[in-house]
Amino acid sequence: MELKPVKSINLEGVSCPMNFVMTKVAIAEILTGEILEVILDEGEALLNVPMSMKEEGHAVLNVKKDQNLFHVFFRKGED
Amino acid sequence: MNNNKLETYRKELAGKSGKEVLAWTLGTFESESIAMATSFGAEDQVLTHMIAGSGYPVKLFSLDTGRLPEETYGTMQNTIDKYGISIELLFPRKESVETMVAKHGPNLFYRSVELRKECCRVRKIESLKNRLEGLSLWITGLRKEQSLTRRKQNVIEWDDKFGLYKVSPLLTWSEKDIWNYIRTNSIPYNTLHDSGFPSIGCEPCTRAVVPGEDIRSGRWWWEDPKNRECGLHEPKPANRGE
Ligand code: SF4
C-alpha cells in the first residue's frame, strides 16, 4: 500500500510522553482523512504512541523500518 | 532460511522488552506477511491488547478445534467487543474430523499418545499449516516458564515445521508479569484462569492444577511431561528429552 503523508515529523531522541504530545500537535494541523508520518526511534514508543493515537480516534496504518528508525503512518480521524 | 539473518535479528532483539520486541517485529516485517495466533490464554490476551490496542493492521487468528470450552468463546467475544477487531476462526477440515472420529471415536486422545497427536494434527495443525503458508512470521505467546520444552527457545526462531519466523515477545515474562499487565490494563481474560487453569486448550485435554504444580501439567496430564506439546510449538530435535 502506497502511503502519501501530507506531513512528516522526526521525533528521533524524543521520549515519552513528549513524543505523543508532539504527534498530537502535528495531527491537529492536518485534515481528517490525511496521513501523518511520524519518525520514531525503536522502543516501546512504537506501541505507546499508536495506542494513544488510536484512543484519540486516529487510525494506525503501518510502520516501516528504515535503518534504525521507524516510520509510523497515521490517518487522521474525525475532529 | 538465511542463518546470518536470524543471527542479525537475534542481536537486534537481545535485551529488548516484550513491547520492544513486538514493535520491532511490526516495523521490520510487512504487516501483510505477519499474523498472530491466539488461543485466548492470558499471554495471548496481553499480546492482543498490545497489537489491537496500538491499531497496527496485524491479522489475528485462532484455531477452533470444535472441542474448546465455553469460557473460551466468552473471552473471544469480549475481546472482539473491547477492541473492535475481527478474529479469524479456523476450523478443521470436516472430512478429516469425520474420518478420524468414525475410525477412533470422539475421545481418541485418552487412548494413546499417537492418537492424541493425530487428533491435534487433524483439529489444529492442518489448518494452522494452511494459514501460515505464504507468511514470513507468526507471533506467539510462548513463555519459557511454561514447559520443559520451551526453556531453550529464543525470542525469534526459524520455525522449520511451518517455514517462517516465529517471534515470542513474552518469552521471558513471568506469570506474575502477565497478570500484573492484565490487571493494570483491564484486559479481558478467560475466567477458567480464576478456577486454577493456568494453560487452557481443548476442554477434554485441560484440567485445573494445584498451586505449585507445573504450568503445563494441566494439559494432557495423563501423558509424560516431555510429550506435552500439541505440535504447534515442537522443540528442535536437539532439545528433545530435556
Ligand atoms: S487438545 Fe485434545 S481435543 Fe484438542 S486437538 Fe488436541 S487431542 Fe484433540
Side-chain angles (χ1 to χ4, degrees), chain B:
Chain B
M1 189 248 329
N2 177 334
N3 262 326
N4 292 337
K5 230 176 182 174
L6 182 62
E7 278 318 305
T8 311
Y9 290 159
R10 284 184 172 171
K11 274 195 202 124
E12 289 183 28
L13 289 173
K16 293 230 181 311
S17 72
K19 260 192 184 174
E20 286 174 326
V21 170
L22 190 54
W24 175 93
T25 306
L26 304 182
T28 308
F29 290 81
E30 292 289 333
S31 50
E32 305 85 58
S33 71
I34 62 185
M36 178 188 151
T38 174
S39 57
F40 305 95
E43 293 77 11
D44 292 341
Q45 291 302 96
V46 167
L47 287 174
T48 299
H49 176 84
M50 290 178 181
I51 291 176
S54 62
Y56 285 116
V58 175
K59 286 264 178 339
L60 265 71
F61 71 86
S62 186
L63 305 171
D64 188 333
T65 61
R67 303 295 299 255
L68 299 177
E70 200 46 45
E71 289 83 349
T72 301
Y73 293 100
T75 318
M76 211 180 280
Q77 190 63 58
N78 292 341
T79 307
I80 291 169
D81 294 345
K82 176 171 169 112
Y83 299 103
I85 48 169
S86 58
I87 295 175
E88 232 178 285
L89 276 191
L90 308 179
F91 296 95
R93 261 183 66 225
K94 177 176 172 285
E95 295 75 21
S96 308
V97 176
E98 286 175 359
T99 311
M100 174 180 78
V101 171
K103 202 164 162 198
H104 302 292
N107 286 354
L108 68 167
F109 28 79
Y110 296 134
R111 289 172 33 209
S112 70
V113 173
E114 287 66 37
L115 285 176
R116 195 272 290 166
K117 288 195 166 165
E118 172 65 3
C119 184
C120 283
R121 190 186 65 73
V122 165
R123 290 185 186 273
K124 297 179 184 171
I125 310 292
E126 272 188 8
S127 32
L128 179 65
K129 208 171 168 109
N130 287 338
R131 183 61 184 83
L132 295 180
E133 219 164 81
L135 294 184
S136 311
L137 179 146
W138 65 309
I139 300 168
T140 80
L142 292 189
R143 288 193 301 113
K144 285 193 186 207
E145 260 184 19
Q146 284 165 331
S147 78
L148 293 170
T149 52
R150 293 179 183 181
R151 300 228 169 113
K152 283 219 165 160
Q153 291 263 337
N154 193 292
V155 73
I156 183 161
E157 294 281 357
W158 175 256
D159 189 333
D160 256 340
K161 184 164 182 158
F162 300 114
L164 78 175
Y165 290 104
K166 175 160 84 175
V167 166
S168 311
L170 308 179
L171 198 67
T172 55
W173 283 39
S174 66
E175 208 181 338
K176 204 169 150 219
D177 295 334
I178 297 285
W179 285 102
N180 283 344
Y181 193 88
I182 288 182
R183 299 221 161 86
T184 312
N185 295 286
S186 313
I187 299 174
Y189 64 88
N190 197 323
T191 50
L192 282 175
H193 288 305
D194 293 333
S195 320
F197 290 77
S199 170
I200 303 159
C202 292
E203 208 266 323
C205 298
T206 305
R207 65 164 186 178
V209 303
V210 293
E213 252 189 300
D214 183 76
I215 296 170
R216 296 275 294 180
S217 63
R219 301 289 289 276
W220 309 295
W221 63 92
W222 61 92
E223 293 179 6
D224 187 315
K226 64 179 185 289
N227 292 327
R228 284 188 201 140
E229 291 288 355
C230 53
L232 264 64
H233 305 295
E234 273 172 353
K236 295 234 155 64
N239 296 352
R240 236 173 262 268
E242 283 174 21

